[in-house]
Amino acid sequence: MFTRIVLYATTHQLGAGFWRWGKLRWHGRFTRDETGRRQFGQFLQAHGKTTVCLLVDAVEEDYRLETLPHVRGGTRKALLARKLEQHYHHTPFRTACFVGCDQQHDRRSDRYLFAALSVSECLQDWLEIMAAHQTRLQGVYLMPMLSEELVRRLQFAKPHLLLNERLNSGLRQSYLHHGRLLFSRLVLMPPLAQHELAMFLADETEKARLYLISQRLIESDTALGLLAPTMGEGGERDVDEMDPKQLPSCSLDMAKLARKLGLDPQRLSTHPELLHMQVLARGGSIAADLAPAALTRTYCLGKLQWRLRMFTVAVVLAALAFSALNWRQGRELELQRLQAWQATQRQQALERRLPQNPVATPATGADLQRAVTLRMALDRYPHSPRRMMVVLGAALAFTPEIRIDRLRWMLSESLSPADQNQSVQSALHGSVNALYELGFVSGVTTGFAGDYRTAGASIERLAGQLRAQSVVAEVVVLQAPTDLSTGTGLSGSTASTSEMPQEAAFKLKLVLKREAT
Amino acid sequence: MLGLGFALMCAILAAIVFQQRMLNTEQVLQQQLDQLAQARRHYQTAVQERQLVARYLPGYQQLAASGLVGQEHRRQWLEALRHIQRQHGLATIDYRLAPQQAYQPSFWQDHGAWRLYRSVMQLQLVMLHEGDVLTLLDALFADFGAVFMLRECTLERRLDSPTAAFGAHCELDWLTLDEPAKGAY
């Protein structure tokens, strides 16, 4: 995970770098002979479990840009596989990279860059040794694909960019359109070119430009940006000597970049490929992998195993954390239980210490209370009609012509009880669970002599006197000497007063207010 | 991997065991809390019971002494009637006492373990003065207090009788509380 071997393969040799905790250390080169193969085998044996990335920088590479109809999922996978088989059926080292999409009217299409290592003999020896040592090969990557990542990290925003990289294997020119690689080539540098680098660069750049125009990747008037990583003042001068009118150039100080990426500038000057190796080691699987599945099976299995191990460790840690949490919670609950037990004991002791009742009671305290409540309720009600008789007596003092012949006193739950089959609805609003003290008073007016007006006035006066008393709640005249209401019949005689009855009967209903307790 | 697998198994087993223990403890705690709540209720009930007894026992004892609780005292009632009649020089009192029956008055709904009974007595008397009925009822109240409750009383002037000016018909309830079974407490 934190260590990685990055191999750099050219046609004639294999370079190796050991990457650990972000630092890439150059290990050495292995030549394509028996000694080199043996040393490589020993190197792999020493780092048996380490993941290996293979970076290939060879002339035998091919790039094709193609536009395909927009499809998804399994259909796209099948389409790309068919295209790869169509273009590169002779090599297993091939890949397809999505570049972008085009929208024309309602039709959408995708652009793909198909890349392959057309001749892979230079890799066979090394791959066989790796297979023999069951090396965890993560993938096989083409050098220019890492240039794309390098330019992205350097944040060069030119739409058309030609990247010139001077490597030990030669001059690599990569064309990037909006940061996406569309074409690359490796030009072997003749010994003479080492002395006239600027001219060589200018010639090769012009050739590359013409090729790009021929492939319709750029127009003849396209402003093609030129980026040339340089090392030190000499390199910068070489770039500056190029024709600036034709191509806008930009140099990149490799020493600064090396320090930024944690590389030794001195080492980078002798091994420029270290830059790509560092980018590959840091980025992991940023570039498209050319390796067939059979070569990376060991790595995939190892990765799966590592993930499984990490998952197991995570589950174990989670289970332990869960156990610790439950244990802690259990302890807290146990403490609470102990406190509750002690509180229960204290409560029971308190109850035991309560003084016993002084005498044995036949009923519970609540029932004793109920019995006393009954007594209090009974005491609230009168035990004789005294109050009503007093009220009547007080009223009769003002109406001496009236004689009471009958008084029916009662304690009633209803405000409208019947008396002598006569019942009148009370205007009072009664309350439930209470008894009302009421009475029916029957009597006559003496000295009547047929004067209904006077008799009626006497009855009204009596009723008024009763109503005036504060203890009286309601007085209703049930029967008057003459009922003059239109709802009743009336009969009599206009004979002389000597033949008229001497008394006029009446009847009242009287309701008293409840006594204040 | 084998070691990791073993560790995984042990960790999961430990998680299950500790969780089960925690759940058991939680259950036991809940039981203990229930017991505590019950003990508190018992204590509060006991304290309340003693307070109620201390407060209402004297009143209840007065009730019991007045004859409201327990068996009816019909003989005492009738003797009291005769005694009052003689003592106050009242005319003859006719009485009629109905059999005892259960009674549920509207003003005493919460009766608890008590059962209230009443025996309805009808009194018929003639009087020279309407105050005689008050004399009779006051004397009865003085003797028995809350044991009886006057329900109705009708006084009528007797114009046709030369010996008595008034007649009275009264109806009263003799109340009895049936004592709750002692075993229940």
Side-chain angles (χ1 to χ4, degrees):
Chain A
M1 185 65 185
F2 304 106
T3 57
R4 196 169 282 159
I5 292 171
V6 184
L7 300 176
Y8 172 71
T10 60
T11 311
H12 305 294
Q13 59 188 5
L14 181 73
F18 196 78
W19 185 82
R20 176 180 287 173
W21 298 106
K23 296 271 184 185
L24 183 67
R25 187 168 50 84
W26 179 255
H27 178 77
R29 294 181 189 278
F30 304 102
T31 50
R32 265 187 81 187
D33 54 17
E34 195 54 42
T35 310
R37 282 192 282 270
R38 194 180 65 251
Q39 287 174 343
F40 182 58
Q42 289 168 349
F43 173 71
L44 288 181
Q45 201 165 8
H47 305 92
K49 298 281 183 184
T50 311
T51 301
V52 174
C53 302
L54 180 56
L55 186 62
V56 182
D57 184 23
V59 182
E60 299 90 354
E61 59 190 350
D62 188 67
Y63 300 92
R64 292 183 190 202
L65 189 65
E66 196 158 337
T67 302
L68 299 176
H70 176 71
V71 284
R72 289 179 178 181
T75 312
R76 182 172 65 178
K77 203 172 174 182
L79 179 64
L80 293 177
R82 196 165 63 247
K83 279 288 175 187
L84 284 171
E85 187 62 27
Q86 182 185 334
H87 295 317
Y88 307 120
H89 66 276
H90 58 283
T91 173
F93 297 96
R94 58 199 183 187
T95 189
C97 308
F98 176 77
V99 175
C101 56
D102 294 326
Q103 184 81 37
Q104 287 184 343
H105 304 295
D106 292 341
R107 190 171 176 185
R108 185 180 165 184
S109 54
D110 297 331
R111 278 182 289 126
Y112 285 92
L113 177 71
F114 293 94
L117 197 60
S118 52
V119 179
S120 57
E121 277 81 8
C122 59
L123 298 181
Q124 283 307 319
D125 292 345
W126 312 121
L127 291 174
E128 281 171 9
I129 295 168
M130 282 193 268
H133 286 85
Q134 294 187 325
T135 304
R136 293 182 175 179
L137 179 63
Q138 180 180 331
V140 176
Y141 308 95
L142 284 174
M143 186 96 166
M145 292 192 168
L146 290 166
S147 301
E148 186 179 292
E149 175 63 18
L150 184 66
V151 169
R152 192 182 64 77
R153 288 195 182 190
L154 294 173
Q155 297 177 339
F156 279 96
K158 300 272 184 187
H160 300 277
L161 186 69
L162 187 66
L163 176 66
N164 285 321
E165 295 171 280
R166 188 180 164 191
L167 304 168
N168 285 333
S169 55
L171 177 69
R172 174 162 289 282
Q173 291 184 311
S174 304
Y175 168 68
L176 292 97
H177 180 238
H178 288 291
R180 302 309 302 259
L181 178 76
L182 298 187
F183 167 74
S184 183
R185 67 169 189 152
L186 180 65
V187 184
L188 298 176
M189 290 179 72
L192 196 60
Q194 302 290 343
H195 305 291
E196 296 177 349
L197 185 60
M199 187 175 288
F200 178 73
L201 270 175
D203 284 349
E204 292 304 324
T205 301
E206 182 57 21
K207 284 180 190 171
R209 197 176 72 84
L210 290 173
Y211 178 76
L212 292 173
I213 292 169
S214 72
Q215 292 296 311
R216 297 179 187 277
L217 292 174
I218 59 171
E219 301 294 330
S220 56
D221 56 348
T222 300
L224 186 63
L226 184 66
L227 178 64
T230 59
M231 185 61 73
E233 292 178 358
E236 283 175 5
R237 193 171 58 249
D238 292 342
V239 174
D240 292 342
E241 285 169 0
M242 289 172 64
D243 185 359
K245 290 175 186 172
Q246 195 171 12
L247 295 172
S249 63
C250 182
S251 63
L252 176 68
D253 188 348
M254 292 287 281
K256 282 184 187 173
L257 185 63
R259 280 190 289 272
K260 192 177 173 184
L261 290 172
L263 292 170
D264 179 13
Q266 199 64 34
R267 179 70 74 177
L268 190 61
S269 64
T270 53
H271 301 286
E273 55 273 9
L274 274 175
L275 189 64
H276 297 81
M277 292 165 74
Q278 172 73 347
V279 170
L280 178 62
R282 272 192 168 188
S285 56
I286 49 170
D289 179 19
L290 277 73
L295 285 179
T296 57
R297 184 171 294 129
T298 309
Y299 167 75
C300 290
L301 282 174
K303 196 173 171 182
L304 185 69
Q305 201 177 18
W306 186 83
R307 283 180 179 174
L308 193 64
R309 194 174 290 139
M310 287 299 108
F311 175 74
T312 309
V313 169
V315 171
V316 167
L317 289 176
L320 288 177
F322 186 66
S323 300
L325 195 71
N326 278 326
W327 176 76
R328 187 178 163 186
Q329 204 170 349
R331 274 196 64 185
E332 285 173 3
L333 291 175
E334 180 60 28
L335 196 65
Q336 287 177 25
R337 189 200 66 78
L338 193 64
Q339 288 170 350
W341 179 80
Q342 287 170 345
T344 309
Q345 295 299 315
R346 280 197 299 271
Q347 203 66 46
Q348 288 171 346
L350 274 176
E351 191 178 344
R352 281 194 295 274
R353 281 202 294 272
L354 273 179
Q356 297 299 312
N357 279 331
V359 292
T361 56
T364 61
D367 279 335
L368 294 181
Q369 183 185 12
R370 289 188 186 99
V372 173
T373 306
L374 172 65
R375 165 68 183 269
M376 290 163 69
L378 291 172
D379 283 347
R380 275 204 301 272
Y381 298 112
H383 63 275
S384 74
R386 181 186 300 278
R387 197 160 70 116
M388 185 161 285
M389 289 169 76
V390 169
V391 167
L392 271 175
L396 286 171
F398 295 94
T399 52
E401 70 277 14
I402 290 179
R403 190 185 75 220
I404 303 296
D405 289 337
R406 179 177 178 267
L407 167 65
R408 185 187 175 200
W409 173 94
M410 62 172 67
L411 276 178
S412 171
E413 292 174 359
S414 167
L415 280 165
S416 308
D419 179 59
Q420 295 173 324
N421 300 323
Q422 187 180 17
S423 175
V424 174
Q425 197 65 33
S426 173
L428 297 175
H429 296 287
S431 59
V432 292
N433 304 338
L435 298 177
Y436 296 93
E437 187 179 1
L438 52 85
F440 294 94
V441 180
S442 301
V444 294
T445 57
T446 54
F448 171 57
D451 187 354
Y452 288 102
R453 189 180 298 272
T454 305
S458 294
I459 304 305
E460 281 303 319
R461 198 163 57 252
L462 174 65
Q465 287 295 329
L466 288 170
R467 287 191 189 103
Q469 296 186 52
S470 60
V471 296
V472 177
E474 186 184 36
V475 177
V476 181
V477 179
L478 299 176
Q479 182 190 340
T482 303
D483 192 351
L484 297 173
S485 63
T486 54
T488 58
L490 184 62
S491 64
S493 171
T494 56
S496 65
T497 54
S498 59
E499 295 172 4
M500 295 298 289
Q502 294 298 305
E503 296 171 343
F506 70 93
K507 187 174 182 181
L508 300 177
K509 179 188 167 190
L510 185 61
V511 181
L512 299 187
K513 292 176 184 172
R514 277 189 270 169
E515 282 183 296
T517 52
Chain B
M1 278 305 282
L2 199 66
L4 264 180
F6 181 70
L8 178 68
M9 205 169 66
C10 289
I12 289 174
L13 202 65
I16 292 169
V17 167
F18 277 108
Q19 195 197 17
Q20 197 58 45
R21 279 187 60 185
M22 193 272 290
L23 290 175
N24 287 343
T25 312
E26 198 173 37
Q27 200 175 358
V28 172
L29 170 66
Q30 192 54 51
Q31 289 170 358
Q32 192 61 54
L33 287 175
D34 291 345
Q35 279 183 24
L36 176 61
Q38 197 179 10
R40 280 180 177 153
R41 277 197 302 275
H42 276 176
Y43 177 72
Q44 283 170 0
T45 307
V47 168
Q48 205 172 13
E49 174 70 14
R50 278 154 182 76
Q51 287 172 347
L52 284 174
V53 168
R55 184 173 173 185
Y56 291 106
L57 187 61
Y60 172 79
Q61 286 170 335
Q62 281 181 10
L63 277 182
S66 69
L68 181 66
V69 182
Q71 297 294 316
E72 282 190 327
H73 301 89
R74 291 191 171 210
R75 180 178 296 174
Q76 288 180 20
W77 303 341
L78 301 181
E79 284 174 354
L81 269 181
R82 289 194 190 95
H83 176 71
I84 292 166
Q85 188 241 338
R86 280 198 302 273
Q87 187 184 5
H88 296 283
L90 301 177
T92 308
I93 302 171
D94 295 327
Y95 59 84
R96 195 166 67 186
L97 193 58
Q100 191 186 43
Q101 57 187 357
Y103 178 42
Q104 178 61 62
S106 61
F107 56 85
W108 196 57
Q109 295 286 338
D110 179 22
H111 53 76
W114 298 106
R115 294 289 177 270
L116 183 63
Y117 294 92
R118 72 172 173 180
S119 296
V120 179
M121 175 181 268
Q122 291 183 345
L123 296 175
Q124 195 85 36
L125 66 157
V126 293
M127 303 172 290
L128 292 173
H129 187 267
E130 64 264 33
D132 289 352
V133 72
L134 298 180
T135 303
L136 169 65
L137 293 170
D138 287 346
L140 273 178
F141 184 73
D143 285 352
F144 298 102
V147 175
F148 82 92
M149 184 179 188
L150 183 68
R151 301 306 300 252
E152 189 176 334
C153 212
T154 305
L155 281 75
E156 280 184 301
R157 191 182 295 276
R158 300 182 71 168
L159 297 171
D160 53 339
S161 170
T163 55
F166 293 95
H169 175 86
C170 295
E171 195 175 293
L172 51 94
D173 295 341
W174 289 98
L175 301 172
T176 313
L177 270 177
D178 195 9
E179 203 172 336
K182 288 186 179 178
Y185 308 98

